[in-house]
Amino acid sequence: MYNRSITLLTKCVFILFITFILSVPPFSMASFPSFASTGTLKLEPDSTKHSTVSLLTRKSPSISYPKSQTSTPSESLNFQESLSVITDGSKIETSCYVPLLQECIERTSFSGAQNFHSHIIKTGTHQDVFVMTFLVNVYAKCGSMENAQKVFNKLPRRNVVAWTTLMTGYVHNDQSDVAISVFQEMLEFGSFPTNYTLGIALNACSAINSVELGKQIHVYSIKYHIDHDTSVGNSLCSLYSKCANLDSAIKAFLKIGEKNVVSWTAVICACGDHSKALKGLRFFTEMLADNVEPNEFTLTSVLSMCCTMLSLSFGVQVHCLSIKLGYEPNLRIRNSIMYLYLRCGRFGEALRLFNGMEDMSLVTMNSIIAGYGEMMELAKDDLSAYCNGTEALNVFSKLNNSGFKPDIYSFSSILTVCSKMFALEQGEQVHAQTLKTGHLSDMIVGTALVNMYNKCGSIERASKAFREISARTLISWTSMIAAFAQNGQTQQALQLFEDMRLMGVRPNQVTFVGVLSACAHAGMVNEALGYFETMQKDFKIKPVMDHYSCLIDMFVRLGLLNEAFVMIKKMDFPPNESIWSLLLAGCKRDGKTELGFYVAEKLLELKPKNTETCLLLLNMYKSADRWEDVSKVQELMKEKRLKKLMDWSWISIHDKVYSFKPDERQAYGAEMYDYLDQLLDKAKSLVGYQSLESFELLEVEEEEGKTLPSNVQHSEKLAVAFGLLNMPNAAPIRIIKNISMCRGCHNFMKAISSLNAREIIVRDSKRLHKFVNGQCSCGDYGGLL
C-alpha cells in the first residue's frame, strides 16, 4: 500500500512537471508556470538572460527534467540499458517513462521513442493521458509530426495541454498552417485555450503572415482580459511587427503588465525591422532604466541599430556593457561589434577583434570580407583600396580552407571586392565556384556577377551572367541596363528596358538613370527627352540630380551648351558641383568664354571639394590671364585642404601589382621608355595621333624646388607600354588610374588599340574606358577632359 502511494505521488509530481514544461512562453522554453488558486494556468516567464534562447531562432532549447523522487531499479540504468530492459519485456513503473522519454528528446532519438512507445502499448500504459501527451511532445521534438498526430488521435482524453503540445510541435516543425487548423479544431472541441496556447497560436499566425486571424485571437485575449499577459503580449508584439504594423506592435508591448527581457527585446527588434533605429535605442535605454538585464539577442539587435545609424559612441557603450555582463566570448555579439567598427571606419579595432577570435563562424568571415570592401571605399588612395581588397581575397581563401561553405553573402561580398579591384581573374575563379556550389542562379550572386564583369570591362560575360539568373528582379534588370549603357551599347540597353517592361517589372529612378545614360552615349536627344517625359507621366517618378546629369552630359557631348544651360534652369533644385563641372568642361572645349566664366562663378559659390574641379577652374582662369581669380581658387584649395593630385596608374600581371608615376623613369629601366617612344612615333606616323599631353596636371604635382621634365609622360602611358611588353599577345590590358585621363592620353589609347589590335581597358576616377579598334566605349567623352 505504501509503495502504491509513493507511485501515485510520483505520478502526480510528473503531471505537474509536464504541465510546467508545456506552459512556457512562446519565446522561451526555459521558464516555468505556476498554478493560480483557480487552477487555470498562469505564466510567469523568467526574466533572466537565459529565458530567450529561442527568440531569434524560434526553436526550443533542450530542457533538463528532474529525476523522479522514487527510487526504482530502472532509474539507475543508463539510456542504452533502459532500452535493453524494455526490449526484454521487463516491466517498469509508469512514472519512469518520463525521464526515459526525455532522454529521447535530448538525444533526438526517434528509434528510442518508438521502442518506448511499443513498450507503453504492451504494458497498457497507453491509457495514461499524461504519458501519451508526453509522447506527443517527444515525437514532435524528434521531427516526426506524423507519429505525434497518430498518438494524439488515440488519446483517451484530450485536455488543453495535449492540444497545446500538438500545436507547439507543428509550429516548431515549420507547419504553422496545420497548427492553426489544430487550434480551430480545439475550439470546436470545446476546450478553452490558456494564455500559452494563445501565444503559440499567435506565433503560428506570425509564421504564415495571417494578421487577420491574429487580430481575432487578439480580440479573444482582450475579451477574457489576458491581453496584458506577458506571453500573449510578447507574441502579439512579434506578430504585428512581422506584419508591418509597428504602431500596433508597440501598443501590444505597452499593454504587457510584467515586461520581461523577451518583451523588451521583441519591441526593440520590431523598431529595428521597421527602420526606426533611434526609437529602438530609446526603448533599450528605458529597459536598462527598468533594471531589466539584456540578453545576447537584445545586445545584437541594439548593435545592429548602431550600425544603421553609424552611432559609434553608443555602440562602444554597448560593447562595454556586453563585457560587464559576461558576453565578451559570445560569437554573435563579437560579430555584431566587429561589424559596427567596420561600418564606422574603425578598422583597427575590428581587425583586433577578428584576430583575437578562437572560434569563428561564416558570419564572422562574411563580416570581415564586407568590412574590407567598406574600407576600399574609405581608403585614402586607390592603392590602399587595392591592398584592402587583397586582404579580403585572403580571408575568402581562408574561409574556403577552414571547412565553411560560402553562402550567397560570401559570394556577393567577394565579387563586389573583385569589381572594385578590377580583378577579373579572381572574379572568374569565384564565378567558377558559384557554379560548382549551385549558387549561380541566385539573384544576389547573379547580380553581383553582372556588376563585377561590367566594372572589369567584360560586357559579354556580364550579359551571359544576367541570362543565367533564374529569377530576375528589378535590381538585376537595372544592373544589366546600366552595364550596357556604360559600355556604349545603347541599343542593347534600350531593348532590355523594353523587355523588362514587357515582363511586368516596373522601373524605378535608378533604372531610368541607366536608360538616359544610354541615350546620352549615343547622342539620342529625342529618345532621351521622350524617356524623361515617360518617367514623369507614366511612372510618376520625380526627376533627381542623376537624371538631369545624364541629359546635361548628352547636350554637352553634342556641343549644345545653350540647351544644357536651359535644362539646368528648369531643375527644381540647385545644381551641384558635378552639373556645373560638366558644363564648364564643355565651355572650355568649345571656347564659350562668357558662359564658361559664369559657370565658374557658380562653381566658386559652391566652394567645390573636388581637386579636379578646382584644377579645371584654375586652368580656365589662367588661360584668360585672370590672375585675381586664380588666387581665389588657390586660397579655396588651401581652405579646403585639398591635396595635390598625384598621377598614379597600376596594372596587375599574374597577381602582382606594378605601379607607375610620371617622374619615376628609372624604376622599370630604359627598355620600357624606348618602347613607349616607338609607340608614340608609330601612332603619329600611321594613325595621325597628335600629342595633346596636358601639363596642367603636372603643375600641381611639382614639389617645392623640383620641376618635372618637359618630356614626361602620364602614368597610364607607362602602364600600357609595360603591359604590352610583359603580357601575352591576346590578353586584354587592364589599367587603373587614380584621376581622370587627359585628352592626349585618351587619344593615345585609341591609337594603340588600333595599331596593336589589343583591347585596352582603363578605369579612371570618372568612368570606364574600353578601347577596341580605335574606338572608346565612353563615346569620346575624353574630348571633354
Side-chain angles (χ1 to χ4, degrees), residues 545 568 571 573-577 579-580 606:
M545 194 73 74
I568 290 175
M571 293 169 58
F573 36 81
N576 61 9
E577 180 181 329
I579 295 285
W580 287 123
L606 294 176

Side-chain angles (χ1 to χ4, degrees), residues 619-630:
N619 296 330
M620 185 89 176
Y621 288 132
K622 281 182 180 180
S623 62
D625 294 330
R626 296 178 58 158
W627 301 109
E628 186 177 341
D629 292 321
V630 169

